[in-house]
Amino acid sequence: TDDTSIKCSGAWYINWPLNSQYATYPEEMVECDSIVGNFMAIRNSTAQKLKYLFDEKLFITFDDCELCIRVKKYFKKKKVVFAPYIICYHKSNSSTSKVKDFVNYCCYRNSILVFKQYAPKDIRFLIGVIIICVRLIKAILLRDKMRIKGYLDGIFSRVITQNGYQK
């Protein structure tokens, strides 16, 4: 395999006060906040209790993160665990490389949507507003139209469909 087929999965940790996420690739099994998932396993009994598996609003990015956060939130005794010895070969970006701008847009928008829905209430408003404003100002200064659009759509919970926006 080439390098694009290796380490597509990892353990994600969320820093809610900074509205940021970071991935690690540990060599031992670890409990984490989320799994960067091109391959995930979930118990059938847990899946049956969920209303849905993946949030359709989070198309392409953060759907795996949202699922893990939701499982940990609603099933207090459940753990999200990254197991590095389970190997799944995945051609990285093979399905998204042709639509990179759209993937980036989804990443910006979905990070805001997940933060708004799951960040602890005590930091969601004040810190969230500050962080999101700083990100938006930075995007404006960089004249990054895709990032600006993604952040604004995340702030206003707008979802793009083939027919335009859907609330």
Side-chain angles (χ1 to χ4, degrees), residues 60-77:
I60 295 182
T61 62
F62 281 88
D63 50 348
D64 47 6
C65 179
E66 188 276 339
L67 173 63
C68 293
I69 294 168
R70 190 163 25 102
V71 166
K72 287 180 75 170
K73 179 178 180 178
Y74 295 113
F75 303 99
K76 301 290 185 198
K77 294 181 180 180

Side-chain angles (χ1 to χ4, degrees), residues 32-48:
C32 56
D33 295 324
S34 177
I35 296 172
V36 180
N38 57 35
F39 176 80
M40 297 174 78
I42 185 170
R43 289 181 188 264
N44 187 43
S45 59
T46 301
Q48 295 296 323

Side-chain angles (χ1 to χ4, degrees), residues 46 50 120 138:
T46 301
L50 295 169
K138 182 179 175 184

